[in-house]
Amino acid sequence: MGSELNQVLYRLHLLTSEMIHFIHQMQYYILFEVIECSWAELQDRVQSAKALDDILDAHDEFLNAIKCGAFLDSNSGQLCQNMENVYDGIIRLELWQNKFYEICFKELSARKEYKNHIFISEEAGEFGVTAERQLERDQERKIFEQIIGSYHKSLDNICADYEKAVRCFLLALNSHNDHNLQLFGIRLDFNEYYKKRDQRLCVPLTFEHMRMSIMFNGNKSLAGSRYSAMN
C-alpha cells in the first residue's frame, strides 16, 4: 500500500513542512517582536509616568502597537486579508488530510480483513477465497486507486493556492514601509524559494538589500573622508 501513496505522502509532507515553518515564524513574530517589545516599552513608560493620564496614554499606545503589529488595525486591511488567505489554505489542507487518512485507513482495514479471511479459510481447509470475493476485492482496490489519484490532484490544487497566498503575503510585507515587516518577510522566505518563483518579490529592495546598500555607501563615504584627510 505504501507504493501507491508515496507520491501523495511526499507532496503532503513537503507542504506540511512549509506550513509549519510559516506558523512558527508568525508565532515568533507576534509573541516576541510585537507583544514582548511593546510590553517592554509599556513598562518603561509606566515607570517614568508622572500622572495617571501618562499611564493611560501608554496603555492605549501599547494596545494600538499590538493591533498594528498583528495586522488588525485599519491600515493593515490588505495584509490581514493576505494572512487570512494563507491560514485558509492551512485549514483547507487539514480538512483534506482528515478525509485522506480516513480513506486510507478504511482501505488498510479492508486489506487486513481480506488477508485474515484467506488465512482462516486455509486453516479450515477451504484454501483461499471464491472467485467472486477475489473479483470484489480487486474492484475495491481499483476504486481506491482512482480515489487516491483524485486526491493527488486536489492536493496539487491546494499547494498551488497556498503558494499563491504566501507570495501575495510576502509581496505585501516586502513593499511595506516598516523595515521590521520586510525583515519578517525575509525570514518567512529564508531560502528564497518564493522569491525565485515571483520576480515581484525583488522589487522594492528588501531590508537586507537596503542594509547592504547603506553599508556600501557608508564605506564609500568613509573612504572618501580618509582620502581627503590624507590630502
Side-chain angles (χ1 to χ4, degrees), residues 34-77:
V34 177
I35 297 179
E36 185 170 334
C37 292
S38 299
W39 176 254
E41 184 177 352
L42 174 63
Q43 287 181 316
D44 291 339
R45 294 192 58 181
V46 169
Q47 293 295 331
S48 61
K50 298 180 180 179
L52 179 60
D53 288 341
D54 295 335
I55 297 178
L56 295 177
D57 291 340
H59 184 257
D60 288 339
E61 292 185 13
F62 167 74
L63 296 178
N64 290 332
I66 292 179
K67 289 175 62 178
C68 181
F71 317 127
L72 297 176
D73 62 321
S74 58
N75 297 324
S76 301

Side-chain angles (χ1 to χ4, degrees), residues 1 5 100-109 144 148:
M1 187 173 177
L5 303 177
F100 175 74
Y101 283 141
E102 181 181 351
I103 292 173
C104 290
F105 283 122
K106 182 178 179 180
E107 174 65 16
L108 181 61
S109 298
F144 172 73
I148 293 301

Side-chain angles (χ1 to χ4, degrees), residues 164 167-168 171 174 195 197-204:
K164 180 180 178 181
R167 287 205 311 267
C168 291
L171 184 62
N174 192 45
K195 185 177 180 180
R197 291 172 172 261
D198 193 336
Q199 293 299 319
R200 293 178 300 171
L201 293 175
C202 299
V203 181

Side-chain angles (χ1 to χ4, degrees), residues 116-203:
N116 187 50
H117 178 73
I118 294 176
F119 176 78
I120 294 175
S121 64
E122 289 177 347
E123 288 290 324
E126 298 177 1
F127 302 103
V129 295
T130 62
E132 293 181 357
R133 183 69 181 89
Q134 177 69 42
L135 182 61
E136 180 183 355
R137 180 84 279 271
D138 291 342
Q139 187 65 27
E140 291 175 351
R141 187 161 185 164
K142 289 181 180 179
I143 294 175
F144 172 73
E145 292 174 354
Q146 292 174 357
I147 293 176
I148 293 301
S150 64
Y151 266 75
H152 196 175
K153 292 180 180 178
S154 62
L155 179 60
D156 288 338
N157 293 333
I158 294 175
C159 292
D161 293 341
Y162 176 78
E163 182 177 317
K164 180 180 178 181
V166 173
R167 287 205 311 267
C168 291
F169 184 63
L170 290 175
L171 184 62
L173 292 176
N174 192 45
S175 58
H176 204 279
N177 294 328
D178 190 342
H179 289 176
N180 291 326
L181 292 182
Q182 294 182 13
L183 183 60
F184 176 46
I186 293 175
R187 287 206 310 273
L188 285 175
D189 192 23
F190 69 98
N191 59 354
E192 297 187 349
Y193 170 80
Y194 295 101
K195 185 177 180 180
K196 294 174 182 177
R197 291 172 172 261
D198 193 336
Q199 293 299 319
R200 293 178 300 171
L201 293 175
C202 299
V203 181

